[in-house]
Amino acid sequence: MSKEWPLWEVFVRAKNGLAHKHAGSVHAADARMALEAARDTYTRRMEGISLWVVPSASITASDPGEAAALFEPALDKVYRHPTFYTIPEGVKNI
Amino acid sequence: MYTTELSDKGKVRAAQAVAEDPERLAHFDARVAADDFIEPKDWMPEAYRKTLIRQISQHAHSEIVGMLPEGNWITRAPTLRRKAVLLAKVQDEGGHGLYLYSAAETLGTSRDEMVEALHSGRAKYSTIFNYPTLTWADIGAIGWLVDGAAIMNQVPLQRTSYGPYARAMVRICKEESFHQRQGFEIMTVMAGGSAAQKRMAQDALNRWWWPSLMMFGPPDDNSPNSAQSMRWRIKRESNDEIRQRFIDATVPQAEAIGLEIPDAALKWNEARGAYDFGEIDWEEFYAVVRGEGPLAKERMAARVSAWEDGAWVREAALAHAAKHDARMAAQ
């Protein structure tokens, strides 16, 4: 019986100083092969200088059905933004 | 919030004595000199790693300890609006501490090690948080001056040579501006209020002004690790340069709301295009660094008891997770 290779999520760092960014995924038998497949699939045109591969099964994602409960409370907290505060006219550097 | 690097003199030099491959060192130095970012898996000199661990963890500790003087006023904020704002600000400081602890962990230290270093007194945090918050106006003064000083310090750190630290600073700087503005708003309202309110605002400015200037660290000619940190581009501007910029930005803000900076020697110097200012009491600064600040013991006692009283929660969460895993495995 054939067994499908596990899925790996691929993250690419475009250059030093930037965070790794999710690029896509690959199937591979192990981490080493996943890195090689990611290199061939996602960095053929100098898209990156560093790769992370993470077993897709290790990622826990938030439930879209819970998005409102998770993220909407931030909507009515406008006081977290600097523009909420009145600064007297003429005051600079603040 | 922020801390300048507060190390015991000589430690960095000792670490540098470790022999390192000259070729790798030259390559590293060239990359840093060319403003390249260093990332966690890149080779780096041990002294660079140690300096960063110390600075980033001190910075993280400062965010966490910095929650205490302000947290002290959450239940006593004068209005619901002020309470919601102060809660959000203190929550941000906790978040800033977490970004920074995570950045330090990429260098091979652990959260437990850092917490232990803080609680045992080995690790330093910003001297500013060992001063008391006596009145509501102090919350205004902290946002305006302490967070204002932090912004001045942190903006250049967005280009610090270590990638994870730089990225944490980008997030933090984005969030910091609200902190300063809410503080200045408190000061503006109080300075324009009753005579008693204005006196409270002035009193808070009097008490926080000099400790805020000390936040930038010792003067350049007495800052032993600065030169190396500048060469490594960990630090990108000197203590005195940033201090001067803070003073030049803040004095007109005080004038605009009718408060007076408590420095008789403060005077605009046309030739320099900057304010001249009085002597900073460095003896006081070094005493606070040594742990003799007015509230140093209370701050640490509060941190240690929060950690110890919370131990059962950390243990219960792990026990719950282990039980859940065992059940899943059995199915």
Side-chain angles (χ1 to χ4, degrees):
Chain A
M1 191 183 89
S2 80
K3 190 172 182 296
E4 190 179 69
W5 288 348
L7 193 62
W8 303 73
E9 297 302 320
V10 178
F11 298 82
V12 180
R13 188 201 298 286
K15 60 176 192 177
N16 272 11
L18 299 179
H20 286 81
K21 195 171 167 227
H22 187 240
S25 52
V26 291
H27 283 278
D30 60 22
R32 175 77 222 169
M33 189 196 281
L35 268 182
E36 282 166 5
R39 175 237 186 220
D40 291 344
T41 313
Y42 294 105
T43 62
R44 289 193 310 280
R45 286 174 183 76
M46 293 187 294
E47 288 93 337
I49 49 112
S50 168
L51 284 169
W52 284 351
V53 290
V54 180
S56 305
S58 295
I59 291 181
T60 307
S62 62
D63 175 358
E66 286 177 8
L70 287 175
F71 308 116
E72 276 177 15
L75 278 179
D76 62 358
K77 294 184 175 58
V78 284
Y79 49 82
R80 284 183 173 143
H81 298 277
T83 44
F84 180 71
Y85 302 90
T86 342
I87 299 299
E89 212 162 318
V91 174
K92 292 194 198 85
N93 298 310
I94 193 160
Chain B
M1 300 306 184
Y2 178 71
T3 181
T4 188
E5 211 215 337
L6 305 165
S7 62
D8 297 326
K9 295 173 190 175
K11 273 192 182 158
V12 172
R13 285 193 199 95
Q16 274 170 268
V18 178
E20 267 162 347
D21 181 353
E23 211 168 295
R24 287 176 134 178
L25 199 56
H27 178 64
F28 174 87
D29 286 344
R31 281 185 61 193
V32 167
D35 277 335
D36 194 2
F37 286 96
I38 305 302
E39 293 292 348
K41 298 198 100 175
D42 293 340
W43 182 88
M44 62 187 85
E46 260 322 286
Y48 176 83
R49 182 187 301 275
K50 283 193 175 130
T51 300
L52 275 172
I53 289 177
R54 190 175 55 238
Q55 178 170 334
I56 301 173
S57 65
Q58 283 177 359
H59 196 160
H61 297 327
S62 300
E63 304 285 349
I64 299 298
V65 178
M67 297 167 81
L68 296 170
E70 292 182 293
N72 181 38
W73 276 91
I74 290 173
T75 56
R76 292 176 286 163
T79 66
L80 187 57
R81 177 187 186 272
R82 294 284 186 218
K83 190 199 287 266
V85 168
L86 186 57
L87 262 173
K89 179 185 190 291
V90 174
Q91 186 187 25
D92 273 1
E93 306 300 358
H96 296 179
L98 298 183
Y99 307 157
L100 288 162
Y101 281 130
S102 303
E105 285 174 76
T106 64
L107 290 156
T109 184
S110 73
R111 189 76 58 98
D112 278 352
E113 277 170 346
M114 289 186 275
V115 168
E116 195 279 323
L118 175 68
H119 291 180
S120 70
R122 274 187 293 119
K124 310 279 186 203
Y125 56 89
S126 181
T127 50
I128 196 83
F129 304 118
N130 287 329
Y131 291 88
T133 39
L134 304 178
T135 75
W136 173 251
D138 289 31
I139 300 306
I142 287 181
W144 174 34
L145 302 175
V146 176
D147 289 278
I151 291 171
M152 291 283 175
N153 256 321
Q154 291 176 151
V155 164
L157 283 177
Q158 293 178 100
R159 285 281 309 151
T160 191
S161 59
Y162 188 57
Y165 192 23
R167 290 192 286 277
M169 291 321 308
V170 170
R171 281 192 80 94
I172 289 175
C173 284
K174 257 189 214 156
E175 297 175 354
E176 205 77 76
S177 170
F178 126 59
H179 297 180
Q180 194 191 13
R181 291 177 71 127
Q182 65 84 34
F184 190 67
E185 189 192 66
I186 292 173
M187 291 304 262
T188 305
V189 168
M190 292 191 80
S194 69
Q197 287 171 324
K198 185 165 183 181
R199 268 200 307 279
M200 277 169 73
Q202 181 64 53
D203 170 61
L205 172 57
N206 293 350
R207 284 181 291 106
W208 289 94
W209 175 252
W210 293 102
S212 297
L213 297 189
M214 293 175 197
M215 283 177 72
F216 299 95
D220 295 345
D221 51 15
N222 195 19
S223 182
N225 299 324
S226 279
Q228 179 60 275
S229 282
M230 297 275 265
R231 263 197 305 281
W232 278 332
R233 310 268 163 114
I234 292 174
K235 207 178 160 83
R236 303 195 61 105
E237 285 177 280
S238 83
N239 296 353
D240 287 334
E241 280 169 342
I242 312 178
R243 185 167 15 246
Q244 182 72 56
R245 188 178 315 138
F246 172 74
I247 292 169
D248 294 344
T250 310
V251 172
Q253 293 166 356
E255 280 167 3
I257 57 173
L259 295 180
E260 202 181 323
I261 302 285
D263 180 357
L266 189 78
K267 197 166 169 277
W268 178 253
N269 182 327
E270 195 62 52
R272 286 204 306 129
Y275 284 93
D276 291 335
F277 54 97
E279 276 291 305
I280 295 172
D281 180 359
W282 292 111
E283 280 317 305
E284 176 180 326
F285 171 77
Y286 287 114
V288 180
V289 171
R290 283 195 305 270
E292 296 163 25
L295 289 184
K297 288 197 178 68
E298 285 84 342
R299 297 291 185 239
M300 265 319 93
R303 280 310 315 150
V304 171
S305 75
W307 181 253
E308 287 175 355
D309 295 348
W312 72 270
V313 180
R314 296 191 296 276
E315 285 157 19
L318 281 175
H320 175 78
K323 195 165 79 181
H324 185 78
D325 283 352
R327 262 191 215 145
M328 293 295 280
Q331 271 170 22

